[in-house]
Amino acid sequence: MTTQHHADIGTNRPLDEYAEAEVQRLLTEDGRVAEQGLTVSRREHTLILCGDVESAQRRDEIVRLIREQFPGIDLQVDIGLTRANAPADAEELS
Amino acid sequence: MIRIAAVGDVHIDKDVVGRYRPALEELPDKADVLLLAGDLTRHGTEDEARCVATEFGGLGVPVIAVLGNHDHQSDQPDAVTRVLTDAGITVLEGTGTVLDCGGTRLGVAGVKGFGGGFAGRCASNFGEPEMKAFVGTTERIADSLADALHALDCDVKVALTHYAPVPDTLVGEPLEIYPFLGCYQLGRAIDSAGTALALHGHAHHGTERGTTPGGVRVRNVAHPVIKQAYSVYHLLGDDADIDSPSLVHAGR
């Protein structure tokens, strides 16, 4: 998806399922993001982003891009950072 | 006993380099081998592959990988593979490798895999050329996994894919996208070859544990699923002190 394509969406677009689909595709297809592991959902007038990413920079960039491409929407961000600690145990398989 | 560490979907780029390293330094104490289940990079560029090589190279245990769909995004899978291979990482695609783990020969066969869906809800090789190309890709890749598994000369076989071979480990994902997350043909290939364990990634919202129709344990090791740098699986031999084939969780 190109930046121009997103610009066509325009400001103050209703938060309908088309907008939800565009956000989902933005997350995947924008080269600055390329995230397929986030859940995008709508609750009344709020767009909710859920899931885990690998760095705080990625989370910040996702939020910045969505606010830029979808100005005026009420965005709730619930994105965590995936833990990368060593495992405390192993699973034994017979 | 063979100790297998595994993780997928690490999506390494410059901003992630160093993040896994403290946990990886412990690997030689915890595992005999590390398997990487694809989506090693964000966009499949050489630069990102070099970041993967920095993070997962020189670990003190062999590292075996398959690529994922993200690793194909820049249409340079051969370049990504070359960078990883130069760093000592074995990259499988319709191929296999055998390691000596304390006298037991561990064979690992791997493919990226592809979508297509699962029994009763799968795409068919029928109709438009685009659809035939899609399902034809699914079948070709699954066949190459079967061939690679059958060609292994070893004591224990493990299948490594990015896409899922069963729907069990997709629970938590929207049902509508299951056909984009895996295919039953991979499971059939795994079941055809006396495989002991199948590892995959790709499904970030999925579930860790599943089983093929033939009874092979499947584990989704996508990083957001396992929520740690890697998981470790102990494959026990026939003489293991265990009462049943059910799973035993050490330390839980």
Side-chain angles (χ1 to χ4, degrees):
Chain A
M1 184 178 296
T2 65
T3 301
Q4 181 60 46
H5 186 62
H6 281 295
D8 293 341
I9 295 168
T11 306
N12 298 323
R13 176 172 174 170
L15 185 55
D16 57 15
E17 64 188 89
Y18 297 118
E20 180 183 332
E22 294 285 2
V23 170
Q24 189 80 63
R25 291 191 60 183
L26 168 71
L27 291 173
T28 300
E29 298 172 17
D30 191 291
R32 293 164 289 185
V33 177
E35 289 286 349
Q36 290 190 282
L38 295 179
T39 299
V40 179
S41 57
R42 286 176 290 136
R43 187 171 300 149
E44 296 182 344
H45 302 293
T46 301
L47 186 80
I48 303 163
L49 297 177
C50 240
D52 295 309
V53 296
E54 292 286 344
S55 75
Q57 298 95 307
R58 295 185 190 189
R59 179 172 57 197
D60 294 345
E61 182 69 355
I62 287 165
V63 173
R64 190 190 70 75
L65 276 174
I66 293 178
R67 291 204 189 286
E68 173 190 294
Q69 302 289 345
F70 297 85
I73 70 166
D74 184 7
L75 185 64
Q76 180 179 323
V77 179
D78 192 10
I79 300 175
L81 301 185
T82 317
R83 294 188 289 275
N85 54 302
D89 55 15
E91 182 180 7
E92 299 189 3
L93 305 172
S94 63
Chain B
M1 180 176 73
I2 300 173
R3 306 171 304 165
I4 298 172
V7 64
D9 305 81
V10 291
H11 296 285
I12 302 287
D13 200 346
K14 292 184 179 66
D15 58 331
V16 175
V17 171
R19 206 162 170 256
Y20 287 80
R21 206 66 197 189
L24 293 173
E25 299 296 346
E26 299 182 23
L27 254 182
D29 295 331
K30 295 177 180 288
D32 302 306
V33 60
L34 173 65
L35 304 186
L36 299 176
D39 276 4
L40 311 179
T41 68
R42 298 176 84 184
H43 310 92
T45 66
E46 282 194 62
D47 279 349
E48 291 170 355
R50 277 189 278 273
C51 294
V52 176
T54 299
E55 195 71 358
F56 290 96
L59 292 182
V61 301
V63 180
I64 301 170
V66 294
L67 301 188
N69 54 309
H70 278 248
D71 306 317
H72 280 256
Q73 168 62 14
S74 297
D75 300 322
Q76 303 174 48
D78 292 342
V80 169
T81 298
R82 187 173 60 250
V83 170
L84 299 180
T85 302
D86 288 347
I89 297 171
T90 300
V91 181
L92 303 176
E93 180 54 45
T95 53
T97 188
V98 177
L99 304 172
D100 184 347
C101 296
T104 303
R105 291 171 301 159
L106 168 67
V108 181
V111 294
K112 174 178 63 62
F114 203 53
F118 300 91
R121 298 160 182 82
C122 60
S124 292
N125 195 340
F126 183 87
E128 306 93 320
E130 293 84 356
M131 202 64 198
K132 292 172 186 167
F134 181 87
V135 179
T137 302
T138 300
E139 293 176 338
R140 176 179 54 78
I141 292 176
D143 287 347
S144 73
L145 175 62
D147 291 344
L149 282 167
H150 282 278
L152 290 171
D153 181 12
C154 61
D155 302 310
V156 177
K157 293 182 182 180
V158 172
L160 177 64
T161 63
H162 180 60
Y163 284 75
V166 294
D168 303 23
T169 47
L170 303 182
V171 174
E173 296 281 1
L175 279 170
E176 295 86 347
I177 69 168
Y178 275 33
F180 305 114
L181 295 175
C183 63
Y184 77 90
Q185 291 94 335
L186 291 172
R188 186 168 58 189
I190 289 162
D191 277 340
S192 75
T195 312
L197 174 66
L199 301 170
H200 74 88
H202 196 40
H204 291 206
H205 295 292
T207 303
E208 186 176 0
R209 295 180 179 85
T211 309
T212 67
V216 177
R217 266 75 65 90
V218 179
R219 296 293 178 267
N220 176 0
V221 295
H223 188 205
V225 171
I226 63 173
K227 299 186 187 305
Q228 53 192 359
Y230 47 85
S231 287
V232 178
Y233 303 99
H234 291 172
L235 287 181
L236 306 178
D238 293 338
D239 57 351
D241 182 17
I242 190 167
D243 292 327
S244 74
S246 61
L247 308 183
V248 176
H249 303 280
R252 289 185 181 173

